[in-house]
Amino acid sequence: RGLFGGGGESVQPQTLQDVAENIRERRCKRVVVMAGAGISTPSGIPDFRTCRSPGSGLYDNLQQYDLPYAEAIFEIGFFHRNPNPFFALAKELYPGNYQPNLTHYFVRLLHQKGQLLRMYTQNIDGLERHQVAGVPPEMLVEAHGTFATATCTSCLRKYDGEELRPEVMSGAVPRCPTCKGVVKPDIVFFGEELPLSFFKYLTDFPLADLLIVMGTSLEVEPFASLAGAVRSSVPRLLINRDLVGPFAWGRRPHDVTQLGDVVTGVKELVDALGWTQELDALMAAGSQEV
Ligand code: OAD
């Protein structure tokens, strides 16, 4: 056990079980979660790596649009010239098509236990949201934006995502009734500012007593660098298929990695916490609501 084991301070973790003990014994009460596309692949949404490879439904879908390269779909310059590929993706990802999985409900449970400081997600599928997996808005930072709101690229008029739904679902590019400009969902494109809520990290990360990173390649900045923004004494847990970011090249002594499938890893953590029944109940209630 670590030096500070007895005094109510965190045990310096070596394993997933140690991390679980710190959460269970409420030594960690300000947990920050960072997530990416890998937590939604179990819900059926291909991540960015997979959707670059032939055979993924989304990729095949996008082939017809002749993208010069996969990232072009999130480039604002490309969007202004040709919004069609993005709206093909929007049709696929529009709220309602996919259901959250165990990883999303785990974050909600962490919140219900009063131990979530904030969840930072790069995902634009909205599966964490209050109306879906049940993470309240004030607990969630959607760092790369959301389909829940939209803005006219010409007159900047604001829209609710639901107002665009019929046009998006019919495969059309939504237009502003006032000025006929293209209405773009508030997804953050490369070359655009991140939402103001992202800057909560400035106060959250120094306060965190545990960081859980799951389902991200930690390749896209500035999000990726947040993993280095917790204090150096704070344990970081990676649950991911492969080693990424500082877990690969800048390992700290209290870093713990759980490699493999993210649902399996989170399940193992939940089992070690003794929260399995509660999580099952949340998921059962959630799927009934849906
Ligand atoms: P990536 O697709 O780059 O990385 C997903 C990570 O999750 C990879 O490390 C996969 O190995 C891992 N993974 C996938 N499925 C998994 C599973 N079932 N179990 C465990 N691990 C799994 O996705 P992000 O890191 O989210 O930008 O990508 C970041 C950003 O790049 C996105 O937000 C997007 C994109 O360009 C914008 O939307 C602006």
Side-chain angles (χ1 to χ4, degrees), residues 90-258:
K91 183 178 176 186
E92 181 70 24
L93 290 186
Y94 228 63
N97 283 355
Y98 293 95
Q99 308 311 328
N101 61 64
L102 182 138
T103 63
H104 301 95
Y105 283 105
F106 163 67
V107 181
R108 170 171 168 189
L109 185 55
L110 204 51
H111 163 64
Q112 286 186 194
K113 297 278 183 183
Q115 287 167 276
L116 178 70
L117 179 59
R118 204 90 62 194
M119 178 182 202
Y120 287 75
T121 184
Q122 296 165 97
N123 295 346
I124 54 176
D125 52 44
L127 294 184
E128 302 89 354
R129 288 188 149 231
H130 194 41
Q131 310 83 333
V132 191
V135 179
E138 67 278 10
M139 285 291 143
L140 184 63
V141 171
E142 293 175 308
H144 292 167
T146 170
F147 285 106
T149 55
T151 307
C152 172
T153 51
S154 185
C155 72
L156 306 183
R157 183 173 155 190
K158 293 278 176 200
Y159 289 88
D160 190 284
E162 284 309 307
E163 296 176 74
L164 273 57
R165 183 185 287 276
E167 272 171 294
V168 172
M169 288 305 148
S170 73
V173 172
R175 297 268 171 187
C176 175
T178 320
C179 74
K180 305 287 176 244
V182 172
V183 181
K184 174 183 156 294
D186 290 338
I187 303 300
V188 180
F189 279 38
F190 293 112
E192 289 192 308
E193 299 281 332
L194 269 62
L196 274 181
S197 61
F198 176 75
F199 296 93
K200 285 182 182 164
Y201 87 85
L202 289 167
T203 45
D204 283 350
F205 278 67
L207 280 177
D209 52 20
L210 172 67
L211 176 66
I212 301 178
V213 179
M214 47 189 195
T216 171
S217 60
L218 289 182
E219 276 179 8
V220 172
E221 296 291 355
F223 191 92
S225 290
L226 294 187
V230 290
R231 287 168 293 138
S232 57
S233 58
V234 167
R236 302 183 297 187
L237 168 64
L238 173 73
I239 308 177
N240 205 45
R241 185 101 63 207
D242 34 33
L243 278 182
V244 293
F247 296 92
W249 46 257
R251 206 67 181 248
R252 293 177 179 175
H254 315 309
D255 287 349
V256 175
T257 55
Q258 180 72 21

